[in-house]
Amino acid sequence: QVQLQESGPGLVKPSQTLSLTCTVSGGSISSGGYYWSWIRQHPGKGLEWIGYIYYSGSTYYNPSLKSRVTISVDTSKNQFSLKLSSVTAADTAVYYCARAPATTNFDYWGQGTLVTVSS
Amino acid sequence: AIRMTQSPSSFSASTGDRVTITCRASQGISSYLAWYQQKPGKAPKLLIYAASTLQSGVPSRFSGSGSGTDFTLTISCLQSEDFATYYCQQYYSYPLTFGQGTRLEIK
C-alpha cells in the first residue's frame, strides 16, 4: 500500500519561499509509471493542481504558478519536493502530495499540510 | 485552461436516495475525467477514472458516465458515509483542472 506524507514548515513569511517534502513509502518513485504531484486547496475552496514530476526529472507545472514553482525529486530518499517562491497570503492553503498514474488522475494522496503565509 | 463546472454546488438528500451530480467541461475532453470524494479535514479519494471506471475498493453504488463535455456521477442508494464534497477533474490537457465541488448534505 503506497503512502505519502508531506512535511515542512506550517508558517512562512510573505516574500519568502515555501518548501515542502513528500516522502513516499510502500513503493519506489524510481520504478516509473507514475507522476508525483502537488495539489493545493485554499481554505474552504476547491482544488488547484500545482504540478508534477517524473522520476527522471521531467516536470509539468500549472502556468498560473510556473514562474514561482520548482518541483524536484530525490530517488535515493524516495522523496519529492515543492518550492514556491515569493509567497503571499494568497498562497495560504492545505498542500497535498499525490501520485498520478501516467499523467492522469490522482490515486494516492498524502494527508495534507496547512501552510499559512503570515508575518 | 479547460474550465470544469459542477452542478449543483450543494444540495441535500436523504439516506437511500439516488443522486446525480453533473460536471461540464468548457471543451471536449473525451473520457479523460475523474471523480473524487472529500470529507472534512481529509484528502480527496479517487472514486472513478476514465469517466466510468470504478477505482478498486469503491462501492458499486457509485457510477460515472459521459464523454465529450458532459459527465455525471451517480450514487444509487445514499449511505450515511457518502455525505461529503465531490469533485470532478479533467486530465485531457494541461493544466489539469478540477470542478468547484458539489457539497452533498443530509436532509
Side-chain angles (χ1 to χ4, degrees), chain B residues 27-89:
Chain B
Q27 65 185 75
I29 59 170
S30 186
S31 295
Y32 296 104
L33 184 101
W35 288 97
Y36 301 85
Q37 176 194 68
Q38 186 178 34
K39 296 182 178 179
K42 300 294 187 182
K45 173 187 174 183
L46 178 64
L47 298 175
I48 287 170
Y49 61 95
S52 61
T53 303
L54 205 63
Q55 174 71 348
S56 176
V58 173
S60 59
R61 62 181 181 272
F62 291 91
S63 63
S65 66
S67 67
T69 60
D70 295 314
F71 301 86
T72 59
L73 172 69
T74 299
I75 311 172
S76 61
C77 181
L78 269 177
Q79 303 298 302
S80 58
E81 60 266 32
D82 300 335
F83 292 96
T85 299
Y86 293 86
Y87 294 94
C88 60
Q89 176 236 329

Side-chain angles (χ1 to χ4, degrees), chain B residues 14-31:
Chain B
S14 301
T15 303
D17 285 352
R18 177 185 179 90
V19 301
T20 297
I21 298 168
T22 298
C23 178
R24 175 164 289 177
S26 61
Q27 65 185 75
I29 59 170
S30 186
S31 295

Side-chain angles (χ1 to χ4, degrees), chain A residues 14-97:
Chain A
S15 79
Q16 293 190 343
T17 296
L18 179 160
S19 296
L20 295 174
T21 295
C22 183
T23 300
V24 179
S25 58
S28 173
I29 285 178
S30 57
S31 64
Y34 300 99
Y35 279 73
W36 302 92
S37 316
W38 289 99
I39 297 157
R40 70 180 183 179
Q41 186 168 35
H42 294 103
K45 302 296 184 182
L47 299 158
E48 179 181 29
W49 175 69
I50 298 170
Y52 51 31
I53 190 165
Y54 198 57
Y55 79 96
S56 62
S58 297
T59 54
Y60 295 83
Y61 297 140
N62 190 324
S64 68
L65 296 167
K66 187 175 182 178
S67 64
R68 299 193 290 130
V69 171
T70 302
I71 298 176
S72 59
V73 65
D74 186 339
T75 55
S76 68
K77 295 181 178 179
N78 221 31
Q79 295 175 334
F80 61 105
S81 299
L82 169 70
K83 290 189 185 299
L84 181 65
S85 64
S86 304
V87 297
T88 70
D91 294 307
T92 293
V94 174
Y95 286 77
Y96 294 100
C97 58

